[in-house]
């Protein structure tokens, strides 16, 4: 009877240790995710600002930087939350972001709608491609 009590107590301790370690791992993973999210945001800016500036050469560079920075500040958190916390496909996510950025470029910044749509497709295709490559490389996957 005492042996059964000790077995039960040992099992309880093992379960408790398991869940405490699991919670610590989850908290550490969340910190890593948040840190990686900011890195990804800045990489997105570094990739998209020069591309938009090249495509929109008629506007001053400051205007282009402001436009992309503001657009990414609005669309990037939406994309990140949807990607991390839902099961949405990358294609649908990028399509939604392209449509939203087309709206922002054309109605807020005054670009022609067709031009804004082409800009959004080019910018997001290149940015998503780089993001995919970085993700593959950082997880040790090769092609």
């Amino acid at each position: 009877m005492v042996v059964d009590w000790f077995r039960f107590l040992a099992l309880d301790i093992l379960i408790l240790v398991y869940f405490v370690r699991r919670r610590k791992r989850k908290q550490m993973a969340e910190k890593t995710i948040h840190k990686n999210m900011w890195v990804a945001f800045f990489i997105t800016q570094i990739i998209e600002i020069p591309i938009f500036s090249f495509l929109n050469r008629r506007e001053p560079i400051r205007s282009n930087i402001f436009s992309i920075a503001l657009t990414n500040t609005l669309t990037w958190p939406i994309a990140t939350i949807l990607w991390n916390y839902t099961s949405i496909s990358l294609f649908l996510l990028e399509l939604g972001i392209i449509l939203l950025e087309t709206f922002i470029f054309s109605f807020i910044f005054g670009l022609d709608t067709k031009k804004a749509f082409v800009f959004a497709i080019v910018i997001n295709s290149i940015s998503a491609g780089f993001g995919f490559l970085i993700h593959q490389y950082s997880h040790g996957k090769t092609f």
Side-chain angles (χ1 to χ4, degrees):
M1 186 150 155
V2 172
V3 173
D4 289 338
W5 186 80
F6 279 118
R7 270 195 234 157
F8 182 72
L9 183 63
L11 184 62
D12 279 350
I13 291 171
L14 287 174
I15 291 172
L16 181 65
V17 167
Y18 169 76
F19 281 111
V20 167
R21 284 185 178 172
R22 183 176 171 197
R23 188 155 110 217
K24 284 183 182 178
R25 260 189 255 130
K26 185 178 179 183
Q27 288 172 346
M28 288 174 59
E30 287 175 356
K31 287 179 185 178
T32 304
I33 287 172
H34 292 300
K35 182 179 127 188
N36 290 344
M37 286 172 35
W38 285 108
V39 170
F41 178 72
F42 288 115
I43 290 172
T44 301
Q45 296 291 343
I46 290 168
I47 292 169
E48 291 187 0
I49 287 172
I51 296 168
F52 185 76
S53 296
F54 176 76
L55 294 173
N56 198 23
R57 289 183 293 259
R58 293 184 181 187
E59 293 294 321
I61 190 80
R62 275 187 209 185
S63 174
N64 290 333
I65 291 171
F66 176 75
S67 299
I68 284 296
L70 181 63
T71 303
N72 283 337
T73 303
L74 297 173
T75 59
W76 189 84
I78 296 167
T80 303
I81 290 169
L82 287 174
W83 179 251
N84 287 326
Y85 298 107
T86 66
S87 59
I88 190 168
S89 72
L90 183 62
F91 177 77
L92 289 177
L93 180 66
E94 285 296 326
L95 182 64
I97 295 302
I98 286 170
L99 294 175
L100 184 58
E101 286 186 1
T102 300
F103 174 80
I104 292 170
F105 290 156
S106 62
F107 292 108
I108 295 178
F109 298 120
L111 285 175
D112 179 50
T113 306
K114 290 179 184 177
K115 193 176 192 181
F117 185 67
V118 170
F119 283 9
I121 287 175
V122 170
I123 291 168
N124 283 298
S125 297
I126 294 171
S127 180
F130 271 105
F132 180 75
L133 289 174
I134 291 169
H135 178 75
Q136 293 294 323
Y137 179 75
S138 67
H139 287 83
K141 298 177 182 173
T142 57
F143 298 100

